[in-house]
Amino acid sequence: MGMISDAQIEKVRESSDIVEVIGSFVKLMKRGHNYVALCPFHSEDTPSFNVSPDKQFYHCFGCGQGGNVITFVMNHEKMGFVEAIRYLADRAGIVIKEKSPADSAAPDVKDRICYANKIALEYFVKSLSGTSGIKAVNYLKSRKITSAVCKEFSIGYTPDKPDGLIRFASEKGISPEVLTAAGLSSKFDNGYCDFFRGRLMFPISNLSGRVVAFAGRALREQEPSKYINTPDTPIYHKGSQLFGLNLTKDHIKRQKRALVVEGYTDFISLYSSGIKYVVCSSGTAFTSSQASLLSRFTDNVVTLFDGDAAGLNAAERSVGELLSKGVEVLICLLPEGEDPDSFVKSKGAEELENFVANAVSYPQFKKMTIGKSLRQLSVMEREKLVQEIGGVINRIGDPLRKKLFTDQVEAIFDFPISSFLNTNPKEKRKLEELEGGVSNRVMLEREFLSLLAQSGSRIAEVSQAIAVECFTDPGCRIVYEKMIEEYSRLGSLELGKWIKMNVDPRITETLAGMDKVRWAMMPAAEIFEDYVKRFRNDQNKTLLRDIKDEIVAAEKQGDALKASDLQKRYLRILAGGASR
Ligand SMILES: [Zn+2]
């Protein structure tokens, strides 16, 4: 292969245990003789990624990826062969003698891009301490970023010159073509120029700690974009990296949770203050690949965003992505005007940890941001809210988890959101299996009847509010009818004899189902109210749909008065008022 001898490659391979290496990127679980994990190369819910310590091989039965420790590092870290060998050698403490990969003989463009980034880092760090770096140094001072921190994170500066890096790199044997492939320079008709100019530079590393890209912060106020990033290259896609994860992944694993912040300086401040289970999403949007990357190290995430509108939006969008990867998310919003960086600097790490301890679940977060109860909202606001929450709920793949989350939403909002969601039939079936064969709806009806059987005196009142037709299950309908009839005839509820005599399978099944319902304590009046409300809501849902159709028809005919009357009725029903 020319650059590294076969003997050296063999030595590196032998000194790198596949379980140990892969285990530093993926959460491995021991199963029998082998290890399994959720595959890092494709999206899945059950682990089909296998690692064999005996054969020193990995294989995924889901997507077919497989190989040895070297191929894993190449595929996972998007490294060329030479870069992968160098990385593993570093790890194992082996010194490799090789020629510069910038040589034209270098086999892989990825290796050359990696090398270009390394040289660029040298240039940026050197420039920060040079005379032109004074403005950057002053900015860092104003943000209370010490020189020790600059050193630890290799923060640099790029002078406002068209070809500073191009000249520096060419002295190291890197051509402008390679620099452009690395996203560090741009090609114009009459030549090349530096991509980053006059900016503070933050190097971005992949999981193995290699610099793969940069983020440049503008130092002039009038600059159109505050931050620009290296464009996508063969080794870097902005949406799939998490800044700082290479430094914090072990802390995150150990503490079994991660704190997500938006900004590079937020990350740096928290990390330097001793909060090490942190990671940075580099901007507002949290992408699906970032979520699956993070889910490999923990399934507990707290998002810590600014207390402004942008922070609110970012939190909103992160939640769906993380929940869809099976990660539990709590949301922590800072007081308005604060960001994690300013907060930790003015109040300290302990105070921030205390603040984070008060993070809330998504439904609680929604309730807080709305600031009033659901029934005080307008129709439009309420519809929007149901859509937003429904959108998040529908991202949750696991049916049991989905149900628990939905229950939580309903409890917090006192609103039967599940009846407004489109459950796809396959998931519904799964859920029904979990609950012992009957649908949610039938369960609900049986629960209600069981409750009613215990508080017979309420029948008169309930029969006024809930029509027999509300029950979708034939067995439940018959039992409900029988209850009403018994009560109006006897003034009390005595189903004993009727129950014993009954052979209709629909009824015996319903009664058995009712009997299975276990109440933790004697049902309080409140629980009863909840069920009545719930049934009323379902009843109203059908009614509302009809009224909506009527409104549309009235508007088509130009009958504004009728439409407005219908609209009022619609609102009244939605607010939980009379249905007629
Ligand atoms: Zn796979």
Side-chain angles (χ1 to χ4, degrees):
M1 115 135 273
M3 293 177 60
I4 304 173
S5 73
D6 288 351
Q8 274 187 310
I9 292 167
E10 197 46 34
K11 192 175 166 200
V12 168
R13 205 183 56 77
E14 275 175 4
S15 319
S16 306
D17 177 52
I18 195 162
V19 173
E20 198 195 308
V21 171
I22 295 184
S24 70
F25 296 101
V26 177
K27 212 195 294 171
L28 289 175
M29 293 158 280
K30 191 145 175 52
R31 186 159 303 166
H33 220 61
N34 292 347
Y35 290 82
V36 295
L38 290 174
C39 179
F41 301 112
H42 85 279
S43 176
E44 62 177 1
D45 295 330
T46 46
S48 44
F49 182 82
N50 275 257
V51 181
S52 160
D54 294 346
K55 295 181 195 139
Q56 289 288 306
F57 259 75
Y58 70 95
H59 178 75
C60 174
F61 292 96
C63 65
Q65 283 254 16
N68 63 16
V69 67
I70 300 168
T71 37
F72 178 84
V73 172
M74 286 172 71
N75 291 332
H76 190 268
E77 291 299 278
K78 298 188 173 58
M79 286 182 185
F81 182 79
V82 175
E83 201 58 38
I85 294 290
R86 203 192 290 163
Y87 165 73
L88 289 169
D90 263 8
R91 226 176 162 273
I94 297 168
V95 180
I96 294 270
K97 286 187 202 116
E98 54 172 323
K99 292 188 267 175
S100 154
D103 288 355
S104 54
D108 194 320
V109 68
K110 287 180 192 162
D111 287 333
R112 279 184 266 174
I113 290 174
C114 225
Y115 186 66
N117 277 305
K118 195 176 152 189
I119 295 303
L121 181 70
E122 232 178 274
Y123 171 72
F124 298 145
V125 169
K126 190 180 76 97
S127 304
L128 184 66
S129 53
T131 45
S132 66
I134 188 76
K135 202 175 168 187
V137 170
N138 285 339
Y139 170 80
L140 289 165
K141 271 186 193 152
S142 77
R143 296 297 299 257
K144 297 193 176 67
I145 298 173
T146 64
S147 55
V149 169
C150 283
K151 214 170 167 187
E152 186 174 9
F153 289 94
S154 302
I155 296 172
Y157 169 70
T158 168
D160 198 2
K161 283 194 274 188
D163 59 353
L165 176 61
I166 291 173
R167 280 163 187 273
F168 183 85
S170 84
E171 281 167 25
K172 309 270 174 180
I174 299 168
S175 66
E177 286 83 5
V178 171
L179 222 48
T180 303
L184 291 163
S185 63
S186 314
K187 192 178 190 307
F188 290 103
D189 292 342
N190 48 352
Y192 294 87
C193 84
D194 285 3
F195 181 76
F196 296 99
R197 291 189 304 272
R199 286 175 182 264
L200 193 68
M201 299 300 289
F202 298 92
I204 298 170
S205 302
N206 65 9
L207 278 186
S208 52
R210 300 274 150 166
V211 174
V212 291
F214 293 90
R217 191 200 189 282
L219 289 170
R220 275 191 306 233
E221 281 305 317
Q222 66 272 31
E223 207 75 57
S225 8
K226 197 163 125 186
Y227 277 97
I228 56 172
N229 275 68
T230 299
D232 281 2
T233 72
I235 62 167
Y236 173 71
H237 301 284
K238 187 178 181 218
S240 45
Q241 293 281 341
L242 283 167
F243 178 78
L245 189 58
N246 58 308
L247 297 171
T248 57
K249 61 185 164 73
D250 293 333
H251 297 280
I252 288 171
K253 260 199 224 168
R254 219 173 301 131
Q255 302 215 17
K256 296 190 169 64
R257 60 176 179 159
L259 196 58
V260 176
V261 296
E262 280 177 285
Y264 300 104
T265 47
D266 294 330
F267 175 91
I268 289 169
S269 292
L270 262 60
Y271 187 86
S272 317
S273 79
I275 300 174
K276 309 256 180 188
Y277 58 99
V278 62
V279 79
C280 163
S281 65
S282 329
T284 46
F286 203 81
T287 67
S288 164
S289 10
Q290 284 175 324
S292 58
L293 179 62
L294 191 54
S295 73
R296 280 196 242 154
F297 301 100
T298 182
D299 43 23
N300 275 301
V301 166
V302 179
T303 64
L304 181 65
F305 294 154
D306 303 358
D308 57 7
L312 238 72
N313 273 329
E316 181 87 46
R317 270 178 296 164
S318 313
V319 168
E321 295 297 352
L322 287 161
L323 284 171
S324 78
K325 306 293 178 210
V327 174
E328 289 294 335
V329 201
L330 293 179
I331 298 165
C332 189
L333 277 186
L334 289 164
E336 213 165 334
E338 292 269 20
D339 57 43
D341 175 39
S342 67
F343 192 98
V344 79
K345 274 180 183 142
S346 62
K347 301 194 171 69
E350 204 185 318
E351 193 77 357
L352 185 74
E353 295 255 34
N354 290 338
F355 196 81
V356 168
N358 294 320
V360 296
S361 70
Y362 176 71
Q364 286 167 317
F365 160 77
K366 289 305 278 182
K367 180 134 196 187
M368 273 163 52
T369 50
I370 293 161
K372 42 185 169 176
S373 93
L374 208 62
R375 284 170 212 291
Q376 289 172 293
L377 296 178
S378 74
V379 180
M380 283 315 191
E381 286 171 316
R382 202 182 298 190
E383 278 188 3
K384 189 172 159 274
L385 184 73
V386 169
Q387 269 167 15
E388 279 171 4
I389 297 180
V392 167
I393 290 177
N394 283 329
R395 304 286 311 263
I396 305 173
D398 179 60
L400 180 60
R401 222 171 167 136
K402 192 170 188 166
K403 179 171 184 335
L404 293 173
F405 190 86
T406 309
D407 288 349
Q408 196 191 5
V409 170
E410 297 195 338
I412 286 172
F413 283 102
D414 180 27
F415 190 75
I417 191 165
S418 52
S419 54
F420 290 85
L421 299 176
N422 308 320
T423 323
N424 82 49
K426 206 173 132 199
E427 279 175 26
K428 211 170 174 180
R429 261 203 310 282
K430 257 192 190 169
L431 199 61
E432 284 168 13
E433 281 162 23
L434 275 170
E435 285 174 344
V438 297
S439 74
N440 252 348
R441 176 66 204 189
V442 176
M443 286 272 289
L444 185 83
E445 291 175 6
R446 287 179 185 171
E447 282 166 15
F448 181 69
L449 290 177
S450 132
L451 203 59
L452 199 56
Q454 291 177 47
S455 28
S457 58
R458 286 180 176 267
I459 286 194
E461 163 204 340
V462 168
S463 62
Q464 292 299 310
I466 297 167
V468 176
E469 291 73 33
C470 278
F471 289 83
T472 59
D473 176 60
C476 288
R477 207 178 302 150
I478 298 169
V479 172
Y480 184 55
E481 247 172 344
K482 183 72 187 170
M483 282 176 159
I484 296 172
E485 184 208 305
E486 281 278 309
Y487 189 80
S488 61
R489 197 158 48 88
L490 303 169
S492 68
L493 204 56
E494 282 163 29
L495 293 175
K497 198 176 159 199
W498 182 68
I499 288 171
K500 273 184 212 140
M501 302 281 292
N502 220 295
V503 287
D504 183 337
R506 289 173 305 177
I507 295 166
T508 49
E509 211 177 291
T510 302
L511 293 170
M514 282 166 61
D515 206 41
K516 261 192 240 158
V517 181
R518 291 278 168 271
W519 301 101
M521 53 193 97
M522 266 311 279
E526 272 171 45
I527 305 182
F528 201 81
E529 281 303 308
D530 282 349
Y531 278 91
V532 175
K533 247 186 248 164
R534 170 97 184 229
F535 273 84
R536 273 259 292 282
N537 257 316
D538 289 352
Q539 195 172 354
N540 288 347
K541 208 179 114 193
T542 323
L543 195 62
L544 288 173
R545 207 167 34 224
D546 294 346
I547 297 176
K548 240 184 184 172
D549 290 345
E550 281 184 63
I551 294 175
V552 172
E555 275 171 351
K556 256 188 196 157
Q557 289 164 8
D559 192 344
L561 197 68
K562 190 178 174 192
S564 145
D565 278 348
L566 285 164
Q567 185 82 44
K568 277 180 204 147
R569 189 164 155 223
Y570 186 92
L571 289 170
R572 218 168 35 236
I573 295 167
L574 206 60
S579 56
R580 298 285 147 193

